[in-house]
Amino acid sequence: MFNRQYEIITRDRGNIETFVVGTLLSDLSLYMDYKLKESDFIINKCRFYFSLGKLMSKYYSELDELSVNAIINKDNELKIKYKEYGGWKSITKCLEFGNPTNMDGYV
């Protein structure tokens, strides 16, 4: 029974997390407005990009490939994960799903 309930709850979780992360990445100031934590994400790729965006929001107001590279090039482990999860291509794909107007509905 627990497995069935877990399956129902998590069925669309990847989509939801992608929308949330895409929205946060599209407007880094939203990290201040929504007190989400890394542990709120169960999809590893979404958790990684959430954390990267949160780190970016401390230094930048907007996300672009140059600023992302400036951050990831400071930490080899971060750079390896970034490449593993698709790098800038994954971010641009994720940004397509972001919509700040709907953020309250996503979270």
Side-chain angles (χ1 to χ4, degrees), residues 78-89:
L78 188 63
K79 188 175 184 178
I80 290 168
K81 278 287 185 199
Y82 179 72
K83 287 181 179 181
E84 178 184 327
Y85 286 132
W88 183 250
K89 186 176 180 179

Side-chain angles (χ1 to χ4, degrees), residues 8-104:
I8 291 169
I9 292 169
T10 59
R11 178 180 34 219
D12 294 325
R13 185 65 185 242
N15 291 337
I16 293 165
E17 288 188 12
T18 300
F19 278 85
V20 170
V21 172
T23 301
L24 291 168
L25 294 176
S26 72
D27 182 352
L28 295 178
S29 70
L30 292 174
Y31 278 92
M32 299 277 241
D33 298 336
Y34 293 90
K35 302 302 180 194
L36 297 170
K37 306 177 295 303
E38 194 175 298
S39 61
D40 292 327
F41 296 85
I42 62 172
I43 309 299
N44 289 336
K45 187 174 184 177
C46 292
R47 184 181 308 129
F48 172 80
Y49 282 111
F50 166 80
S51 297
L52 178 61
K54 190 168 188 173
L55 177 62
M56 298 286 304
S57 73
K58 294 177 182 178
Y59 303 102
Y60 298 96
S61 57
E62 289 188 16
L63 186 97
D64 58 41
E65 190 170 8
L66 185 62
S67 59
V68 172
N69 284 332
I71 293 290
I72 64 157
N73 286 330
K74 293 178 182 178
D75 182 324
N76 195 47
E77 188 175 319
L78 188 63
K79 188 175 184 178
I80 290 168
K81 278 287 185 199
Y82 179 72
K83 287 181 179 181
E84 178 184 327
Y85 286 132
W88 183 250
K89 186 176 180 179
S90 287
I91 289 176
T92 56
K93 189 69 173 165
C94 191
L95 287 169
E96 292 176 14
F97 298 106
N99 185 345
T101 305
N102 294 334
M103 185 63 165
D104 287 335

